[in-house]
Amino acid sequence: KGAIAFKDVHFAYDAARPILKGITFEVPAGKTVAVVGPSGAGKSTLSRLLYRFYDVQEGAITIDGQDVRTVTQKSLRSVIGMVPQDTVLFNDTIAYNIRYGRVSASEAEVEAAAEAAQIAEFIRTLPEGFQAMVGERGLKLSGGEKQRVAIARTILKAPPILILDEATSALDTRTEQEIQSALDVVSRNRTTLVIAHRLSTVINADEIIVLKDGVIAERGTHGELIDRD
Ligand code: ADP
Ligand code: ADP
C-alpha cells in the first residue's frame, strides 16, 4: 500500500519561471526512491506537492491511483510521515514532541501501552545525557537530537509513506551515519521518497532519479549511475 506516481508533473511558484517541467516516475509500494540533484533543481518542491503544500499545475500525483488533489491535507498527513531537514520542535518536553503528530489521539488506551514501550525503547537508544532530558521543557537540542525526536515521532505515527527531505544534510558525518541507520530501519517496508543532495547518501535506494533544472536528467540504481560516470 501507498504506491506513489508522479505523472508529467509541471509546477511553477511564479508563472514566469517553471520549476518542474514534466516529471514522471513512480515509487512502488514499500520501495525507496531517491531524488538527487543540485540545489535549486526542484527536489523539495516535489515533496511539497506530494504533501499538498502546493498543488501541481499540470499532470498529477497519485497515491494508490488516487489523485492527491482529491484528498484532504489532513488525511494526507495521516498517511505521510515527513522528516524535514530542520525539525522545529515545540517549546515543551521531548516526550510531548515525540507524541505530537500521532494519527489519532483518541484510539488511546490500547495504544498507550505500546506507545510507552516504543518511547522507552527509543529512549534507551539515546546517549545518557540526552535520556535524562526527556522530561524537561524548553530544551536546546542539537541538530542530531532534534532529528532523533523527528524520527521517533514518525515511528510512532507509523505512516505507510515516508518523505525524508534532506533529513541528515544538516548533521556532521558521525551523527549523519547514526541518524541514517535509524532512518533505514524506519523506511524498511514503507514507501519512501528520499530527497538528497549527494548520490553517496542514497546507495540503498531501489531507484535514484537525478533531477536537473526541473527535468529528469538520469535514473537508475546507484551502481548503474556510478558506472555511467
Ligand atoms: P531543491 O530542493 O532541489 O534545492 P527547491 O525545490 O527547494 O529545490 O527549489 C527549486 C526552485 O524553486 C529554487 O530556484 C527556489 O529558489 C525556488 N523556490 C522554492 N520555494 C519557492 C517559493 N516558495 N517561492 C518561489 N520560489 C521558490
Ligand atoms: P501543521 O500545520 O501540522 O502544524 P506545518 O504545516 O507547520 O504543520 O508543517 C508540518 C511539518 O512539515 C513540519 O515538520 C514542518 O517542519 C514541515 N514543513 C512545513 N513546511 C514545509 C515545507 N515547505 N517544506 C518541507 N517541510 C515543511
Side-chain angles (χ1 to χ4, degrees):
K1 276 210 69 175
I4 304 165
F6 290 83
K7 297 176 185 163
D8 196 27
V9 167
H10 289 255
F11 180 78
Y13 293 97
D14 159 6
R17 199 173 145 245
I19 301 293
L20 299 174
K21 308 167 195 169
I23 301 295
T24 301
F25 70 94
E26 288 176 24
V27 190
K31 301 287 184 192
T32 295
V33 171
V35 178
V36 303
S39 169
K43 305 182 297 292
S44 291
T45 300
L46 279 175
S47 70
R48 288 173 207 145
L49 293 172
L50 176 60
Y51 214 53
R52 287 201 69 205
F53 286 120
Y54 300 93
D55 277 331
V56 301
Q57 286 147 351
E58 248 183 82
I61 300 173
T62 62
I63 295 176
D64 292 327
Q66 186 175 10
D67 192 317
V68 295
R69 282 169 296 188
T70 67
V71 181
T72 63
Q73 212 179 44
K74 187 161 180 277
S75 53
L76 269 182
R77 284 171 187 206
S78 72
V79 293
I80 301 174
M82 160 110 72
V83 181
Q85 178 172 359
D86 296 300
T87 299
V88 180
L89 299 180
F90 296 98
N91 186 20
D92 205 303
T93 63
I94 292 177
Y96 176 87
N97 274 288
I98 292 174
R99 274 188 212 107
Y100 173 78
R102 277 206 3 190
V103 176
S104 146
S106 56
E107 298 166 24
E109 314 248 319
V110 186
E111 268 178 38
E115 179 185 313
Q118 276 174 302
I119 291 179
E121 185 56 40
F122 168 73
I123 288 169
R124 268 198 290 282
T125 69
L126 298 174
E128 224 168 279
F130 190 49
Q131 289 179 22
M133 305 190 302
V134 167
E136 278 174 38
R137 273 169 181 278
L139 295 164
K140 290 262 174 286
L141 300 184
S142 71
E145 289 163 346
K146 282 190 201 163
Q147 290 311 70
R148 283 193 177 85
V149 172
I151 293 164
R153 195 190 277 174
T154 305
I155 292 172
L156 275 185
K157 189 176 161 187
I161 296 174
L162 203 57
I163 302 175
L164 308 178
D165 191 350
E166 309 233 21
T168 61
S169 64
L171 308 173
D172 62 72
T173 315
R174 188 165 149 260
T175 313
E176 177 173 11
Q177 283 165 2
E178 281 172 27
I179 299 291
Q180 193 56 55
S181 9
L183 289 174
D184 287 345
V185 174
V186 182
S187 62
R188 205 172 289 152
N189 303 320
R190 297 220 161 94
T191 310
T192 308
L193 181 66
V194 183
I195 308 292
H197 212 70
R198 286 172 294 126
L199 211 52
S200 59
T201 58
V202 292
I203 294 169
N204 297 322
D206 296 292
E207 187 179 25
I208 298 170
I209 305 286
V210 183
L211 201 62
K212 279 191 186 137
D213 209 15
V215 298
I216 295 178
E218 274 191 283
R219 59 197 295 171
T221 62
H222 185 265
E224 288 165 353
L225 292 175
I226 291 287
D227 281 347
R228 266 176 240 157
D229 280 346

